[in-house]
Every structure is written in structure tokens, then in C-alpha cells.
Amino acid sequence: MRIFSALNGLLLAGAAAAQSCSLQSNESQAVNYGYALSYFLDRFYSSVPVNQTFLSSSQNGSNSQYFTNFQGIQRQNRLGVRAVQQLGSKLSGWTPQNCSFTFPSASDADSFVQNALHLESTVAGAYIALAGYTQAPEASFLWARLAAEHTAHAYYIASQNQTVLFPTNSSSLVPAYSPGYVLSNGTGPGQLGSYFQGCVTAPPVPCGQTLFIGPLTATLGANVSASAAASSSASLSASATPSPSFARRFF
């Protein structure tokens, strides 16, 4: 009987552990933030006449298949919005927060392409970091998947505008940007705060500690203010040469 009691205790402990890994209400800020990232890009592409005539006037527009590929990128962004909505539907009472964004101006096709590269690479880095701000595997899986998606978008766009994407002197993986830094005011690499206009807030730090993002890994440390965490993560990420050289070329 003692053996069965012990087994029952282990099964209950396992069930409790599994339950604690499910999506909880305290993840709602992370889901809101993740949704805002995808929705922002979806609205960005909808704000520009992404058609054959407009894109053909860009550099390499005649042989880059911009029109077909940007149509596909738009489609992928819409699927990203839908995916985060499906994740959010598992949170009781969660509703999508459709922000009113501003967007970088694009006077011609070339500036639009550069803006798309900047935003795609920033959102990719934002999703990479967001995976460290959740404890639910289904959420971290989606953030990792979206990070890969937008990294692919950024590298495709960059490949049409430069020859070297992987410099031999790299000392960093793909840049990652903490939520606090992404939402800080500015329009530089990794920053979207000027476009978001305070619509969403950064999710709470994981495990009550600060996630410091370095060029290769991230580490948990003593908790500090959101602004200090953002600036620390940003400075660590910027301390090494970013792997994708397009981050230096355009910005």
C-alpha cells in the first residue's frame, strides 16, 4: 500500500508540474506584446501600396521578385497574427488589443524596402527575447517560430541589397532585444516605441529576475528596474558585431 501511495504522490506531483507549465493568466502581458509585434507588421504592410508598379521602381526591383515575395510575406504576417490570437484564446478573457500605430514614411520603393528590413529584423529580435519571458512551452514555441519566420524575411530582403550577409569577423548571434528596449522611444535597430505610442507594456521579467541578453547567451540576474534591464540588455547585445551585416548597412 505504501508503494501505491508513493506512486500516487509522484503522479500528482507530475500532474501539478505539468499544470504549472500550461498557459496562465500571468502570461497575458507577454501575449499582448507578442500580438502587438505581429499586428504592427501586418498594419505596416497594409499602409503601403505593395503592388507590382510600386515595387518595380526599387533597386533590383526587376529581378528580385519583390512583388511575389512581399505578397507572401504579407500572408505570413497575417498567419502570425492569427497564431497569436489562437494562443491568446487559451487565456480566459483575453481579447486582441488593436493599437493605432504610426509607421516610418516611405517616399519611394527603396525607402519602403529599407523600412521593411528594419522592422522585420527588429521584430525578429523582439520575438527571440520574448521566448525568455514565458514559462509555457506552447507560448515559447510560438515566439521561437515567429522569430525564425521574421529572421527569414529580414535575410531575404537584405540579400537583395548587399552581397555579404555573414561577415567573417562576427562575434554575435542574431541580435535579440528585450521588451523594455523594443518599447523604448527611438527608431534605431531594436526600437519600436516611437511607433507603438505606449499601446502595450513590457511583460514582467521571468522568475522575478532580470534577463540580461548577451551576444551569445542570456543570463538571469538580480532584478533591476525595467529601464535598467532594457539598457543593459541593449548594451550587451550591441557590444559584439551583429551576425547579420544588414544591421550595419542600413542603420
Side-chain angles (χ1 to χ4, degrees), residues 103-123:
F103 305 102
S105 59
S107 57
D108 52 35
D110 284 330
S111 58
F112 160 74
V113 170
Q114 292 186 22
N115 289 339
L117 174 58
H118 168 49
L119 298 181
E120 288 282 0
S121 58
T122 292
V123 169

Side-chain angles (χ1 to χ4, degrees), residues 29-30 33 130 133 178-184 199-205 226 230:
Q29 278 184 269
Y33 174 68
L130 184 56
Y133 281 71
S178 68
Y181 183 69
V182 172
L183 296 176
S184 64
C199 177
V200 294
T201 57
V205 294

Side-chain angles (χ1 to χ4, degrees), residues 130-195:
L130 184 56
Y133 281 71
T134 184
Q135 296 182 33
E138 56 195 320
S140 58
F141 168 78
L142 179 57
W143 308 143
R145 194 174 197 175
L146 290 171
E149 182 70 47
H150 293 292
T151 299
H153 294 173
Y155 272 105
Y156 158 70
I157 299 169
S159 70
Q160 306 304 311
N161 294 274
Q162 64 187 88
T163 56
V164 178
L165 298 181
F166 305 98
T168 57
N169 64 346
S170 290
S171 56
S172 172
L173 297 174
V174 175
Y177 307 111
S178 68
Y181 183 69
V182 172
L183 296 176
S184 64
N185 287 329
T187 57
Q191 292 180 296
L192 296 174
S194 296
Y195 305 126

Side-chain angles (χ1 to χ4, degrees), residues 176-231:
Y177 307 111
S178 68
Y181 183 69
V182 172
L183 296 176
S184 64
N185 287 329
T187 57
Q191 292 180 296
L192 296 174
S194 296
Y195 305 126
F196 277 38
Q197 303 183 89
C199 177
V200 294
T201 57
V205 294
C207 304
Q209 300 182 70
T210 298
L211 186 69
F212 293 97
I213 299 172
L216 300 181
T217 63
T219 57
L220 283 172
N223 199 10
V224 297
S225 67
S227 58
S231 61

Side-chain angles (χ1 to χ4, degrees), residues 26-72:
N26 61 0
E27 302 253 24
S28 60
Q29 278 184 269
V31 175
N32 281 337
Y33 174 68
Y35 177 80
L37 293 172
S38 279
Y39 187 65
F40 171 71
L41 280 180
D42 178 65
R43 294 296 87 201
F44 164 71
Y45 286 114
S46 297
S47 70
V48 179
V50 186
N51 54 51
Q52 183 74 62
T53 302
F54 177 69
L55 292 172
S56 62
S57 64
S58 66
Q59 181 183 9
N60 298 327
S62 59
N63 55 18
S64 63
Q65 296 295 316
Y66 272 153
F67 177 58
T68 301
N69 280 300
F70 272 114
Q71 281 189 316

